[in-house]
C-alpha cells in the first residue's frame, strides 16, 4: 500500500529524541532496543523504561509538534520506521470516519495525560513512572492497531489474504472428514502476521464483516475444487470461523446461502464456527439466524468450548451440531486430572446430547490415543496435519494414509 515510511538507523548510544525539543515524527522500532529517560528538574535523568522491537516511540508527534516528554537513547543499534504526522493522517484517510474520530479523541486525551504528568513533574514525587508506563503501553497499542487495521483493509482489497485449511480427522478410521478454514495474511514488509493479532483488530474496526464474506466465498469455492480434484463429491466439509459482528448483518443468511449455491457445494458441507460469546450477547438474533442456517442444512459448531461461559442451557436452546473442545484442555490432560475429567465430561455430554465432538490442538499420539479411548469422535491438530494451502491439501489428501492412533 502507499505511504511506506522512511527507514532510519541509529547506533548504540545515539540520542534519538531529546526531552523538551519539538517532535516531528514517531518511530516504530524494527530492530534494536532503546531506553526512555526522563530528565528531572535537578539536572539528573532517570530511566523509566526500555522499548524493543515492534514498539512505537515519540508517538505524540503524530498529534502535535509539542516538546518531547522524554529523551530516548539507543541501547543497541536500531533500525526504525519513521512516521510523520502527515504520513499518519494520510493513513487514517480512507478509513471509517468513526475510527478517525475515535483515534483523534484518544490521541488528544493521551496528550492531556502527558501534560498532567508534566505538572506532576514539578512536584516532589516525580517521576510517576507508572503513569508514563501505562500511557505508553495504551497509546502504543492504539497506534499499532490503527496501523494494522489500515493495512488489513488494503490487504483485503488487494487480494493479499489467503485461506489455509487444517484437516479434521475421524479418530475411529483415521481419515479426513473436513477442514477448518483459517485466514492467512502475509504482509509485504513484515511477513506473516498471526490471526491472533489481526482478527481482534479486524473485529474492533468492523472490517471483519467484509473479511468473513471473502473467507466464506473462498472456502466454499476451494472445497468444490478440492473435492473435484480428489473425486470425492459431497464427502468433505469446510468449517468457517464467524464473529459476532457477522450476525449483526440483516441479510446474513441470504448472503451465506447465495455463496454456498454459487460455489456448487451443498449446505451440509459448511459448518459455522461460532463462540459462546455470540450466544450470550445476541441470544435472540443468534437463535433466529442459526436456526435458519440449520434449517437450510448447515452445521453449527461451538469453538473453544469450555473457555467461555459456564451456562450450558444454550446447548438445548440453540441448534448446535458440534462442540470443539478448546486446545488448552487437551494440552493439560496429562498434567492435570481436572482437565482430563473435564474433557471426559464434555465427550460424555456430547454423546448424551447427540452432538459431535472435535478435540482441538492435538499435538502428539498420546493425546490422540487418550481421546480415542474416551470415545471422542474427531480431532484436529499438528499431530495429524497443520493448516495448509489448497494446493497442499489436494496433494496430502491424494496420498493420505489413515492417521496412526492405535498402538
Ligand atoms: P481457532 O478458531 O481456535 O483456530 C485454531 C487455531 O489453533 C489455529 O490458529 C490453528 O493453526 C491452531 N492449531 C491447530 N492445531 C494446533 C496444534 O496442534 N497446536 C497448536 N498450538 N495450535 C494448533 P491460527 O490459524 O493462528 O488462528 C488463531 C485464531 O484466529 C483462530 O483460533 C480464530 O479464532 C482466529 N481466526 C483464524 N482465521 C479466522 C477467520 O477466517 N475468521 C475469524 N473470524 N477468525 C479467524
Ligand atoms: Ca475455530
Ligand atoms: Ca478453537
Amino acid at each position: 500500500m502507499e505511504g511506506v515510511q522512511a527507514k532510519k538507523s541509529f547506533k548504540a548510544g545515539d540520542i534519538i529524541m531529546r526531552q523538551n525539543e519539538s517532535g516531528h515524527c514517531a518511530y516504530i522500532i524494527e530492530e534494536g532496543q532503546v531506553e526512555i529517560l526522563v530528565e528531572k528538574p535537578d539536572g539528573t535523568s532517570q530511566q523509566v523504561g526500555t522499548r524493543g522491537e515492534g514498539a512505537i516511540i515519540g508517538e505524540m508527534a503524530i498529534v502535535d509538534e509539542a516538546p518531547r516528554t522524554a529523551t530516548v537513547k539507543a541501547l543497541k543499534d536500531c533500525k526504525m520506521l519513521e512516521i510523520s504526522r502527515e504520513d499518519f493522517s494520510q493513513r487514517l484517510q480512507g478509513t471509517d470516519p468513526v475510527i478517525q474520530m475515535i483515534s483523534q479523541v484518544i490521541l488528544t486525551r493521551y496528550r492531556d495525560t502527558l501534560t498532567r504528568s508534566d505538572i506532576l513533574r514539578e512536584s516532589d514525587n516525580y517521576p510517576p513512572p507508572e503513569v508514563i508506563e501505562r500511557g505508553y503501553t495504551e497509546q502504543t497499542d492504539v497506534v499499532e492497531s490503527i496501523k494494522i487495521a489500515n493495512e488489513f483493509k488494503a490487504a483485503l482489497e488487494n487480494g493479499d489474504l489467503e485461506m489455509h485449511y487444517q484437516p479434521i480427522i475421524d479418530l475411529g478410521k483415521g481419515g479426513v472428514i473436513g477442514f477448518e478454514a483459517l485466514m492467512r495474511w502475509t504482509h509485504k514488509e513484515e511477513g506473516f502476521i498471526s490471526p491472533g493479532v489481526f482478527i481482534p483488530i479486524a473485529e474492533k474496526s468492523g472490517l471483519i464483516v467484509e473479511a468473513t464474506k471473502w473467507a466464506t466465498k473462498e472456502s466454499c469455492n476451494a472445497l468444490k475444487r478440492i473435492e473435484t480434484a480428489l473425486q470425492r463429491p459431497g464427502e468433505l466439509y469446510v468449517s468457517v470461523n464467524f464473529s459476532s459482528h457477522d450476525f449483526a448483518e440483516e441479510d446474513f443468511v441470504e448472503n451465506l446461502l447465495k455463496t454456498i449455491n454459487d460455489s456448487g457445494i451443498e449446505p451440509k458441507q459448511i459448518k459455522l464456527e461460532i463462540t459462546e460469546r455470540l450466544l450470550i450477547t445476541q441470544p435472540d438474533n443468534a437463535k433466529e439466524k442459526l436456526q435458519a442456517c440449520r434449517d437450510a442444512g448447515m452445521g453449527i459448531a461451538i469453538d473453544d468450548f469450555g473457555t467461555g461461559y459456564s451456562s450450558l442451557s444454550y446447548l438445548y436452546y440453540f441448534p448446535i451440531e458440534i462442540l470443539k473442545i478448546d486446545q488448552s484442555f487437551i494440552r493439560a490432560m496429562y498434567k492435570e486430572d481436572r482437565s482430563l475429567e473435564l474433557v471426559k465430561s464434555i465427550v460424555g455430554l456430547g454423546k448424551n446430547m447427540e452432538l459431535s465432538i472435535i478435540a482441538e490442538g492435538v499435538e502428539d499420539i498420546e493425546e490422540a490415543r487418550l481421546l480415542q479411548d474416551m470415545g471422542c469422535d474427531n480431532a484436529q491438530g499438528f499431530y495429524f496435519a497443520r493448516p495448509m494451502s489448497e494446493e497442499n491439501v489436494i496433494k496430502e489428501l491424494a496420498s493420505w494414509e489413515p492417521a496412526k492412533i492405535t498402538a
Side-chain angles (χ1 to χ4, degrees):
M1 76 178 278
E2 34 114 80
V4 174
Q5 291 82 17
K7 302 219 177 200
K8 274 251 169 102
S9 300
F10 294 93
K11 291 254 165 267
D14 283 356
I15 300 285
I16 297 161
M17 61 189 73
R18 208 180 279 281
Q19 187 171 321
N20 297 329
E21 286 181 359
S22 89
H24 301 289
C25 64
Y27 296 101
I28 299 176
I29 307 174
E30 275 200 322
E31 267 176 54
Q33 195 186 25
V34 302
E35 63 176 336
I36 296 159
L37 302 160
V38 170
E39 279 156 44
K40 294 199 279 187
D42 66 5
T44 60
S45 64
Q46 182 177 340
Q47 196 204 64
V48 293
T50 61
R51 297 287 180 273
E53 260 164 52
I56 296 192
I57 51 170
E59 66 273 18
M60 271 309 114
I62 289 170
V63 186
D64 57 34
E65 295 191 350
R68 302 284 196 193
T69 51
T71 295
V72 177
K73 189 172 165 187
L75 284 174
K76 296 180 184 161
D77 291 358
C78 290
K79 282 196 185 142
M80 311 267 198
L81 282 180
E82 193 180 279
I83 312 174
S84 64
R85 235 175 117 190
E86 204 182 78
D87 197 358
F88 181 71
S89 44
Q90 235 180 31
R91 281 179 175 270
L92 261 189
Q93 276 163 19
T95 56
D96 184 317
V98 176
I99 298 178
Q100 288 180 33
M101 195 185 88
I102 292 175
S103 341
Q104 287 308 333
V105 169
I106 294 172
L107 287 166
T108 314
R109 282 201 190 137
Y110 178 63
R111 159 58 82 211
D112 291 342
T113 315
L114 284 187
T115 316
R116 271 200 301 281
S117 53
D118 276 350
I119 297 164
L120 277 173
R121 186 176 306 183
E122 310 304 330
S123 74
D124 287 335
N125 60 2
Y126 190 81
E130 71 288 352
V131 171
I132 295 177
E133 274 297 331
R134 198 173 56 234
Y136 248 106
T137 325
E138 281 170 9
Q139 188 53 25
T140 301
D141 290 350
V142 172
V143 178
E144 186 64 12
S145 302
I146 294 169
K147 175 176 171 269
I148 295 176
N150 270 335
E151 298 190 349
F152 180 75
K153 185 165 184 270
L156 188 57
E157 287 163 0
N158 300 340
D160 291 342
L161 302 177
E162 206 188 338
M163 294 309 288
H164 276 198
Y165 305 93
Q166 186 177 29
I168 298 171
I169 313 297
D170 169 359
L171 279 175
K173 299 194 182 115
V176 175
I177 54 171
F179 310 94
E180 175 171 2
L182 295 157
M183 202 177 285
R184 295 292 176 256
W185 177 18
T186 310
H187 189 282
K188 286 206 168 53
E189 287 138 38
E190 286 163 36
F192 176 82
I193 302 185
S194 164
V197 171
F198 70 78
I199 293 286
I201 293 173
E203 285 177 341
K204 272 194 208 124
S205 62
L207 291 167
I208 193 71
V209 176
E210 272 314 302
T212 306
K213 283 185 189 159
W214 172 81
T216 313
K217 198 169 174 182
E218 184 63 22
S219 302
C220 292
N221 291 341
L223 181 61
K224 187 71 200 171
R225 290 188 293 260
I226 292 170
E227 64 171 30
T228 306
L230 296 169
Q231 298 179 320
R232 291 178 64 178
E235 284 180 31
L236 299 162
Y237 70 77
V238 67
S239 200
V240 179
N241 290 285
F242 287 82
S243 92
S244 308
H245 299 259
D246 300 314
F247 283 80
E249 298 272 286
E250 260 318 301
D251 48 3
F252 173 77
V253 182
E254 289 77 7
N255 277 336
L256 198 52
L257 278 169
K258 180 168 185 328
T259 303
I260 295 169
N261 285 335
D262 289 351
S263 74
I265 65 164
E266 294 170 45
K268 69 162 198 231
Q269 288 180 276
I270 181 166
K271 314 290 174 196
L272 279 57
E273 291 200 12
I274 56 165
T275 58
E276 294 162 86
R277 169 184 281 274
L278 168 76
L279 308 181
I280 305 297
T281 55
Q282 308 179 23
D284 297 335
N285 178 42
K287 166 111 178 163
E288 183 200 318
K289 294 200 168 121
L290 292 175
Q291 191 63 54
C293 292
R294 195 83 173 97
D295 292 343
M298 300 173 229
I300 316 295
I302 305 290
D303 203 356
D304 307 334
F305 186 72
T307 58
Y309 303 83
S310 47
S311 160
L312 292 178
S313 55
Y314 67 76
L315 293 181
Y316 288 97
Y317 187 68
F318 295 100
I320 293 157
E321 182 194 2
I322 301 168
L323 297 183
K324 298 191 77 174
I325 310 178
D326 189 69
Q327 50 178 286
S328 57
F329 302 116
I330 308 301
R331 193 76 0 89
M333 273 187 324
Y334 268 105
K335 290 181 217 112
E336 293 170 14
D337 286 344
R338 278 174 56 203
S339 294
L340 181 67
E341 289 311 317
L342 189 82
V343 175
K344 278 188 189 161
S345 312
I346 300 175
V347 171
L349 179 79
K351 289 253 170 301
N352 288 336
M353 294 191 65
E354 294 179 1
L355 298 169
S356 163
I357 306 287
I358 302 177
E360 291 195 278
V362 176
E363 289 187 352
D364 55 46
I365 190 163
E366 286 79 21
E367 288 168 352
R369 277 186 191 145
L370 205 51
L371 289 159
Q372 196 189 38
D373 290 347
M374 288 175 199
C376 178
D377 314 319
N378 306 313
Q380 177 185 347
F382 295 167
Y383 172 65
F384 303 106
R386 291 193 171 245
M388 46 194 158
S389 65
E390 179 185 333
E391 194 191 337
N392 285 338
V393 164
I394 293 171
K395 270 193 222 148
E396 288 277 324
L397 260 74
S399 58
W400 186 269
E401 299 280 339
K404 265 218 188 76
I405 304 160
T406 38

